[in-house]
Every structure is written in C-alpha cells, then in structure tokens.
Amino acid sequence: ISGAASDHPPNASGWFNRPVLFSIQGTDATSGVADCPAVTYAGPDSPTASFGASCRDFAGNSSSRAFALKYDATPPAVADLGATAGDRSVALSWRASADAESVEVTRTPGIGGDSPTIVFRGPGTRFVDSRVENGVRYSYEVRARDAAGNAASDTASAVPTASSAGGGGGGGSGTQSPTGGRRGRRLIAPARGAVIRFGHPPLLQWTPVRRARYYNVQLFRKGRKILSVWPKRARYRLKQRWTYRGEVRRLAPAKYRWLVWPGFGPRSKADYGRRIGPSTFVVRRPRAASR
C-alpha cells in the first residue's frame, strides 16, 4: 500500500471537520493489484485518529496499513452569555468550551453605521464595549471557533442608559439574560424534566430555525457527551443503542441533558447559529407490579 488520497484537503491546521473519502493506492510487482477499496472516515473526533486500508493482488495475497489524521466535526460551545448595560457601555461575559481556539464578537449596529462590526477577536471570556450611545439597542453575536474550523455562536442584546451607571442600579432594563433572548427558539419535546419509560426512546423536537439546513443535536449524561448527530429536520428519534466515538452507548436509566445548534449552508462550512436549549429528561425503568 503506497498511499491514501483524500477527496478534499484538511484545513490550514491539518484538521478534517466533515466525513472524508480516501482512495487507496497500492503496487504489486508480480500478479498486479486487484482491489484497493476506498475508505470513508466520519469519526470519532480525535487529534490522533486513524483508519485502516487494505489491498489485494490477483494471486489472493492481501496487505493492510494504518493512516493517521486529525478529525473534529463537533462545534465548540458558547454558554452563559450575558450583556449588561451601563452608561455608554455594554459589558459582555460568556463561557466557551475548552476546544474553542478563538472568539469573535460582532455588534449590530456597527461602529459608524448600521452594518455589523467585529468589536472583539481573540481569547477571553469578557469584553466591555465603550463605543456605544445611550438609548440605542445593540445586538452582539459571540462566535467561538475551534482549530478544526467548526464554529458556534450565541447572541445577546442591551440598551445602554445613563441611569445604568454604577453597575446593577439600572433596574435590569438594559440587561440581557444568560439565555441570550431566545424566546422564539425552544426545545419542545420531551418537556423539561419529563420521565421517559425505559425501552421507549423519545422523539426530540424543537422549533425550526429559518434558513437552517441541518441541526447538531448533542446529548449528555452525567456531564459527559454521549451523542452528536446532524439531522436535517427539527426532530430526531433517539435510539436505544448507538455508537459514539468508537463506544457503544445505551439509553440507560439516568438523567439526560440535550442541546441543539442550527447549521447554515453546507456542513463543510461549519457555520452554526445560537444554541437552542438546554433541556432535560429522565429515563426510568417501570416499577414492578406489587402482588
């Protein structure tokens, strides 16, 4: 086996962030190469991922070889975004997941006009915008991007006023809650805290997002992510058993937390909108009938 060629190149940092097809090349000096099946890699995410390739010659001999790659198709998370208004200032704070390499904050209206302006770019979890006018509502999009080029964002807005000077004395009129003002987007079913009967995986449903071409659904148990899928419609039927990051997972009795991100454009662009959720549900076994 002499090599493996991908159907699209990795990004500048050497990461693939969507399924990649490798064509396998081989040579044989005697009977000749009969078959070198192509291999598709679609996970799990890992900086030290690998896949196996094989070739067979016309005499029936075969060989195999492993190839390494860096793969990450899961966007970073932006959480607990808040915008607090002051006198001619807006203070932003947020949390980004550990895999976020950089954060970009875009403000609308922008500086010197209505067009959006990037007002912050770099690492960090806080930013104070002092180039604002009192009485104007400003919307901020905080977008986190990882080394693989995946991105996710959340939004918040605030109206700076002179009465907001001194921090918390503004009465909250210009403060955005940590939910980012997402009243129009919500996780519909199952209802928050719903109890699901073991062996009956629920149908996850959420409000559709305009222009979203797909969604990223993530499921957590005991703080650990156990599922990441990309359905095209605003619903996804969980399964009783599935494979994630090379491990078999089950919808066992426990408490679960789930979130959804809308995706725009082709998945290769990794352009995600603000998060929907989170919500929770509990899976329980039915109680044995008493005699």
Side-chain angles (χ1 to χ4, degrees):
I1 300 177
S2 56
S6 61
D7 63 349
H8 62 270
N11 71 358
S13 299
W15 288 85
F16 291 96
N17 63 8
R18 60 188 174 93
V20 53
L21 176 68
F22 288 93
S23 57
I24 310 302
Q25 294 91 40
T27 59
D28 187 86
T30 310
S31 63
V33 175
D35 187 28
C36 289
V39 178
T40 297
Y41 190 92
D45 296 349
S46 174
T48 57
S50 64
F51 66 92
S54 63
C55 285
R56 179 177 56 86
D57 65 18
F58 283 103
N61 305 300
S62 62
S63 63
S64 61
R65 177 180 170 184
F67 291 91
L69 76 159
K70 297 192 295 185
Y71 188 88
D72 182 3
T74 304
V78 177
D80 298 336
L81 172 61
T84 303
D87 183 10
R88 285 179 288 185
S89 69
V90 175
L92 297 171
S93 62
W94 63 86
R95 287 193 304 108
S97 54
D99 58 335
E101 189 175 63
S102 64
V103 175
E104 185 176 276
V105 178
T106 302
R107 192 190 83 190
T108 306
I111 298 173
D114 294 333
S115 299
T117 299
I118 297 174
V119 292
F120 173 86
R121 182 185 284 125
T125 59
R126 294 179 181 275
F127 169 70
V128 177
D129 187 3
S130 58
R131 302 179 67 179
V132 296
E133 298 179 6
N134 288 340
V136 177
R137 177 171 292 278
Y138 294 92
S139 177
Y140 296 87
E141 180 187 36
V142 178
R143 178 176 294 271
R145 191 174 297 275
D146 63 21
N150 303 300
S153 66
D154 202 351
T155 60
S157 60
V159 181
T161 61
S163 61
S164 299
S173 61
T175 301
Q176 178 70 24
S177 69
T179 59
R182 295 168 294 201
R183 296 179 181 177
R185 301 182 180 186
R186 61 190 181 92
L187 303 180
I188 300 173
R192 179 181 291 272
V195 177
I196 308 299
R197 185 180 177 186
F198 176 71
H200 294 75
L203 175 66
L204 305 181
Q205 294 180 281
W206 55 93
T207 51
V209 176
R210 185 180 178 186
R211 295 193 299 273
R213 292 177 60 178
Y214 60 92
Y215 301 87
N216 178 224
V217 181
Q218 297 185 16
L219 183 68
F220 295 80
R221 181 174 60 210
K222 296 182 179 180
R224 183 183 181 189
K225 183 162 63 177
I226 59 172
L227 175 69
S228 183
V229 292
W230 288 264
K232 293 183 178 180
R233 306 179 71 177
R235 60 178 181 266
Y236 180 76
R237 172 74 69 179
L238 289 176
K239 301 176 182 178
Q240 188 61 39
R241 177 177 174 176
W242 66 94
T243 300
Y244 176 69
R245 292 189 173 180
E247 295 184 26
V248 176
R249 318 283 181 159
R250 293 178 175 82
L251 200 65
K255 182 177 180 180
Y256 293 84
R257 181 174 179 265
W258 63 291
L259 311 92
V260 176
W261 284 266
F264 303 97
R267 270 193 59 188
S268 58
K269 188 179 178 182
D271 184 10
Y272 292 89
R274 64 181 185 266
R275 184 189 69 186
I276 309 174
S279 188
T280 61
F281 63 87
V282 177
V283 174
R284 289 181 183 169
R285 292 184 183 274
R287 295 182 179 179
S290 57
R291 295 183 180 180

